[in-house]
mmCIF file of all heavy atoms in Angstrom:
data_model
loop_
_atom_site.group_PDB
_atom_site.id
_atom_site.type_symbol
_atom_site.label_atom_id
_atom_site.label_comp_id
_atom_site.label_asym_id
_atom_site.label_seq_id
_atom_site.Cartn_x
_atom_site.Cartn_y
_atom_site.Cartn_z
ATOM 1 N N ILE N 224 106.729 106.321 62.464
ATOM 2 C CA ILE N 224 105.573 105.550 62.097
ATOM 3 C C ILE N 224 105.555 104.310 62.984
ATOM 4 O O ILE N 224 104.398 103.919 63.427
ATOM 5 C CB ILE N 224 105.697 105.141 60.608
ATOM 6 C CG1 ILE N 224 105.415 106.398 59.707
ATOM 7 C CG2 ILE N 224 104.696 104.008 60.245
ATOM 8 C CD1 ILE N 224 105.655 106.035 58.205
ATOM 9 N N GLU N 225 106.695 103.672 63.220
ATOM 10 C CA GLU N 225 106.651 102.468 64.116
ATOM 11 C C GLU N 225 106.219 102.854 65.520
ATOM 12 O O GLU N 225 105.557 102.085 66.198
ATOM 13 C CB GLU N 225 108.104 101.855 64.011
ATOM 14 C CG GLU N 225 108.374 101.203 62.694
ATOM 15 C CD GLU N 225 109.759 100.680 62.625
ATOM 16 O OE1 GLU N 225 110.629 101.038 63.483
ATOM 17 O OE2 GLU N 225 110.030 99.856 61.755
ATOM 18 N N GLN N 226 106.704 103.978 66.055
ATOM 19 C CA GLN N 226 106.322 104.382 67.355
ATOM 20 C C GLN N 226 104.808 104.650 67.507
ATOM 21 O O GLN N 226 104.191 104.451 68.525
ATOM 22 C CB GLN N 226 107.085 105.593 67.788
ATOM 23 C CG GLN N 226 108.495 105.441 68.060
ATOM 24 C CD GLN N 226 109.294 106.641 68.393
ATOM 25 O OE1 GLN N 226 108.731 107.781 68.484
ATOM 26 N NE2 GLN N 226 110.599 106.608 68.601
ATOM 27 N N MET N 227 104.182 104.995 66.371
ATOM 28 C CA MET N 227 102.741 105.251 66.377
ATOM 29 C C MET N 227 101.901 103.991 66.226
ATOM 30 O O MET N 227 100.692 103.980 66.157
ATOM 31 C CB MET N 227 102.361 106.254 65.275
ATOM 32 C CG MET N 227 102.923 107.632 65.519
ATOM 33 S SD MET N 227 102.649 108.758 64.099
ATOM 34 C CE MET N 227 100.796 108.994 64.288
ATOM 35 N N GLY N 228 102.571 102.861 66.084
ATOM 36 C CA GLY N 228 101.918 101.541 65.883
ATOM 37 C C GLY N 228 101.806 101.161 64.439
ATOM 38 O O GLY N 228 101.038 100.217 64.048
ATOM 39 N N GLY N 229 102.551 101.798 63.518
ATOM 40 C CA GLY N 229 102.577 101.435 62.170
ATOM 41 C C GLY N 229 103.786 100.603 61.729
ATOM 42 O O GLY N 229 104.733 100.395 62.505
ATOM 43 N N ALA N 230 103.753 100.166 60.491
ATOM 44 C CA ALA N 230 104.928 99.442 59.924
ATOM 45 C C ALA N 230 105.067 99.903 58.472
ATOM 46 O O ALA N 230 104.100 99.952 57.764
ATOM 47 C CB ALA N 230 104.675 97.924 60.032
ATOM 48 N N VAL N 231 106.263 100.192 58.089
ATOM 49 C CA VAL N 231 106.562 100.584 56.720
ATOM 50 C C VAL N 231 107.000 99.295 55.844
ATOM 51 O O VAL N 231 107.982 98.742 56.231
ATOM 52 C CB VAL N 231 107.703 101.638 56.707
ATOM 53 C CG1 VAL N 231 107.998 102.044 55.272
ATOM 54 C CG2 VAL N 231 107.288 102.875 57.453
ATOM 55 N N VAL N 232 106.155 99.053 54.913
ATOM 56 C CA VAL N 232 106.443 97.956 53.973
ATOM 57 C C VAL N 232 106.864 98.458 52.573
ATOM 58 O O VAL N 232 106.075 99.205 52.057
ATOM 59 C CB VAL N 232 105.169 96.983 53.817
ATOM 60 C CG1 VAL N 232 105.488 95.861 52.865
ATOM 61 C CG2 VAL N 232 104.806 96.454 55.209
ATOM 62 N N THR N 233 107.992 98.169 52.162
ATOM 63 C CA THR N 233 108.442 98.628 50.884
ATOM 64 C C THR N 233 108.548 97.474 49.877
ATOM 65 O O THR N 233 109.150 96.460 50.144
ATOM 66 C CB THR N 233 109.904 99.292 50.979
ATOM 67 O OG1 THR N 233 109.795 100.384 51.914
ATOM 68 C CG2 THR N 233 110.360 99.725 49.610
ATOM 69 N N CYS N 234 107.817 97.740 48.758
ATOM 70 C CA CYS N 234 107.764 96.727 47.688
ATOM 71 C C CYS N 234 108.556 97.346 46.488
ATOM 72 O O CYS N 234 108.176 98.221 45.874
ATOM 73 C CB CYS N 234 106.315 96.433 47.294
ATOM 74 S SG CYS N 234 105.315 95.707 48.567
ATOM 75 N N CYS N 235 109.656 96.646 46.194
ATOM 76 C CA CYS N 235 110.501 97.158 45.108
ATOM 77 C C CYS N 235 110.368 96.180 43.885
ATOM 78 O O CYS N 235 110.780 95.051 43.940
ATOM 79 C CB CYS N 235 112.040 97.133 45.597
ATOM 80 S SG CYS N 235 113.147 97.688 44.392
ATOM 81 N N ALA N 236 109.831 96.734 42.860
ATOM 82 C CA ALA N 236 109.558 95.974 41.701
ATOM 83 C C ALA N 236 110.810 95.861 40.828
ATOM 84 O O ALA N 236 111.583 96.933 40.644
ATOM 85 C CB ALA N 236 108.420 96.672 40.854
ATOM 86 N N LEU N 237 111.062 94.697 40.341
ATOM 87 C CA LEU N 237 112.412 94.486 39.580
ATOM 88 C C LEU N 237 112.087 93.755 38.284
ATOM 89 O O LEU N 237 111.240 92.947 38.213
ATOM 90 C CB LEU N 237 113.359 93.587 40.445
ATOM 91 C CG LEU N 237 113.715 94.143 41.805
ATOM 92 C CD1 LEU N 237 114.430 93.049 42.542
ATOM 93 C CD2 LEU N 237 114.608 95.345 41.669
#
Side-chain angles (χ1 to χ4, degrees):
I224 290 172
E225 291 176 342
Q226 287 178 3
M227 296 176 67
V231 177
V232 177
T233 298
C234 297
C235 180
L237 301 170

